Amino acid sequence: MDWYETIFELIDMRSFSNLWFWIALAVLWSSTSHWVLGVPWDMIIRARKKSADAQSVVDLHDLVRINVNRILYIIHESGLLIAGFVCFALTVLGLTGFVYGKEISQALFLLGFPMSLVGVFSVLTARKIRHSGLENAALYKQLYRHRLITQVIGMLSIFVTAMWGMLQNMNVGVLGG
């Protein structure tokens, strides 16, 4: 057996039967849920407590301000270019995956499309925080709402991906065996 076969045995291009794909899916949504607009969730919880020290509240507000400004700056400077590239990439993945039947494209689309929704929602949340000047309880409530919606998108994404992956694996099992 040559090295080329060994590598492609290790990196199975049939994504839905590959353990690495499912690990990547879990890590993706776990990380996305933990980092709310670039702020770790434990930091939000610590600042939200009644017994929180003043420094943790100041740190949270500073980090939210920095990340909101960063997100809105990126969108202002290159938002149209990013949107065009993401739409192009998702269209290519969708067509090659679901029209031409390439499983790796299906898997990448099922990872990328929900993340693009989270990205759009992050921009909307950042705009709301800046426009409304949210602070303290209102800010915590908005960050909690953002995390909750991100988790709902993640749960739906995992469910749809798991159902599609099982369907693909059953089809391969029926057709291949």
Side-chain angles (χ1 to χ4, degrees), residues 116-133:
S116 68
L117 297 177
V118 171
V120 168
F121 186 62
S122 294
V123 170
L124 295 175
T125 301
R127 282 186 178 162
K128 183 175 182 179
I129 289 171
R130 180 190 274 174
H131 177 72
S132 301

Side-chain angles (χ1 to χ4, degrees), residues 7 26 41 92 127 135 147:
I7 289 175
W41 182 247
V92 167
R127 282 186 178 162
E135 291 183 352
R147 183 172 193 245

Side-chain angles (χ1 to χ4, degrees), residues 28-69:
L28 174 76
W29 285 110
S30 175
S31 299
T32 302
S33 178
H34 178 71
W35 294 89
V36 180
L37 293 181
V39 180
W41 182 247
D42 60 290
M43 189 175 190
I44 297 168
I45 295 297
R46 189 171 43 248
R48 198 169 80 172
K49 288 182 181 176
K50 298 284 186 208
S51 62
D53 60 338
Q55 188 60 45
S56 64
V57 173
V58 170
D59 290 347
L60 174 72
H61 282 79
D62 287 344
L63 195 52
V64 168
R65 179 186 48 79
I66 289 167
N67 285 319
V68 163
N69 289 340

Side-chain angles (χ1 to χ4, degrees), residues 86-153:
V86 168
C87 288
F88 171 77
L90 288 174
T91 300
V92 167
L93 289 173
L95 286 174
T96 57
F98 299 104
V99 174
Y100 295 108
K102 298 296 179 189
E103 195 171 303
I104 187 76
S105 295
Q106 293 171 4
L108 292 174
F109 181 86
L110 291 170
L111 291 173
F113 179 71
M115 286 306 295
S116 68
L117 297 177
V118 171
V120 168
F121 186 62
S122 294
V123 170
L124 295 175
T125 301
R127 282 186 178 162
K128 183 175 182 179
I129 289 171
R130 180 190 274 174
H131 177 72
S132 301
L134 300 180
E135 291 183 352
N136 299 324
L139 177 63
Y140 307 147
K141 185 176 180 180
Q142 184 62 43
L143 293 173
Y144 175 77
R145 183 178 297 128
H146 180 84
R147 183 172 193 245
L148 182 66
I149 291 172
T150 298
Q151 287 177 327
V152 168
I153 292 171

Side-chain angles (χ1 to χ4, degrees), residues 3 7 10 20 22-23 31 51 64 70 73 77 84 91 122 126 133 154 159 165 173:
W3 66 274
I7 289 175
L10 182 63
W20 293 109
W22 297 105
I23 291 172
S31 299
S51 62
V64 168
R70 184 176 149 266
Y73 175 77
E77 291 298 316
T91 300
S122 294
F159 178 76

